[in-house]
Amino acid sequence: QGGGMKEQFDAFLRQLRFDLARPLPGRDAQYLMAPRPRPGGEFYDTPRPDARRGGVLALFYPHDGAIHLPLILRPTYPGVHSGQVGFPGGGAEEMDDDLAATALRETYEEIGVHPSQVTVLGQLTPLYVFASNYIVQPTVAWTDYRPEFHCDPFEVAQLLEVALHDLLDPASRRTETRNLRGQPIDVPYFAVVGQTVWGATAMMLSELLALPSMNLAPRS
């Protein structure tokens, strides 16, 4: 990684940290990638009283002169997120100090990146996921080098290393029609690394990609 590349990464990280400390793009940005019409309307956006809390990690790192982040393809199992692409993360446990700690712990358990390797930059807007009844807090972080990933085969069918510039490419944003609960729904998604990234993960990515710092992301 040359000096010029490091300067570019540093400028991106300074701006990203600044963006995350200011008022966030929030729900409007999330909803750009939300299925439409919202099945059942606003009802799906109000957390139930028994909603659990979870944390996920958007972990940036440099690789081949560009910024990447890991997503995971979940194994096929009887459950609402079977076979879907998401951030590493999961439900809060009593041992976690906060939801950033949840995201870091789960990332270590799922893909083997130790919290000591990671610098937390800030957090995005929490998102209520109706299907799993979770309020999910995304944490944004950085590590200075491409981690050595060690995936838990029970949690991760495949690790996906996604280049940030691919997510920022307007051509990666697409929409397909699906039948959900008996009605046709337009489902926006990101088409990256041969996968379809939709639902809550796409909504969280949409807010992340709306931050001004994304204009500074180095391209290889």
Side-chain angles (χ1 to χ4, degrees):
Q1 196 176 304
M5 209 78 240
K6 183 174 188 312
E7 282 172 21
Q8 278 189 290
F9 288 137
D10 287 347
F12 168 75
L13 290 170
R14 272 197 307 276
Q15 183 66 44
L16 177 54
R17 202 187 280 269
F18 179 73
D19 292 346
L20 292 167
R22 301 181 67 216
L24 294 164
R27 188 176 273 207
D28 288 348
Q30 291 174 342
Y31 271 50
L32 293 173
M33 295 298 284
R36 298 180 294 270
R38 298 293 282 161
E42 288 299 305
F43 165 73
Y44 283 93
D45 305 314
T46 306
R48 304 206 308 255
D50 63 342
R52 291 195 61 197
R53 294 193 172 270
V56 299
L57 194 67
L59 176 63
F60 289 124
Y61 60 92
H63 180 47
D64 285 345
I67 291 173
H68 288 67
L69 74 164
L71 296 177
I72 58 176
L73 177 64
R74 298 274 179 200
T76 302
Y77 64 95
V80 291
H81 298 304
S82 169
Q84 290 184 11
V85 175
F87 293 107
E93 305 284 356
E94 283 185 18
M95 68 184 91
D96 300 332
D97 290 335
D98 52 29
L99 291 172
T102 299
L104 291 169
R105 175 183 53 76
E106 286 279 346
T107 296
Y108 181 50
E109 291 173 7
E110 292 181 344
I111 62 173
V113 181
H114 194 273
S116 64
Q117 296 174 258
V118 175
T119 301
V120 171
L121 303 174
Q123 295 184 308
L124 295 169
T125 304
L127 178 67
Y128 177 57
V129 184
F130 175 82
S132 56
N133 195 31
Y134 264 90
I135 301 167
V136 178
Q137 171 69 68
T139 292
V140 182
W142 170 261
T143 179
D144 282 324
Y145 49 87
R146 179 179 177 267
E148 269 195 41
F149 296 107
H150 301 283
C151 296
D152 175 354
F154 292 102
E155 300 264 17
V156 181
Q158 188 182 346
L159 179 83
L160 309 169
E161 295 189 72
V162 183
L164 179 56
H165 57 74
D166 287 344
L167 286 165
L168 288 165
D169 182 350
S172 74
R173 296 194 184 215
R174 303 177 191 175
T175 302
E176 65 183 15
T177 302
R178 298 189 185 184
N179 213 333
L180 288 179
R181 301 181 191 91
Q183 69 179 95
I185 301 286
D186 286 335
V187 178
Y189 65 96
F190 292 96
V192 284
V193 293
Q195 298 289 338
T196 297
V197 185
W198 68 286
T201 301
M203 292 173 71
M204 291 184 270
L205 278 171
S206 183
E207 183 184 30
L208 179 64
L209 299 173
L211 296 172
S213 47
M214 296 300 135
N215 296 320
L216 299 177
R219 292 165 185 270
S220 52

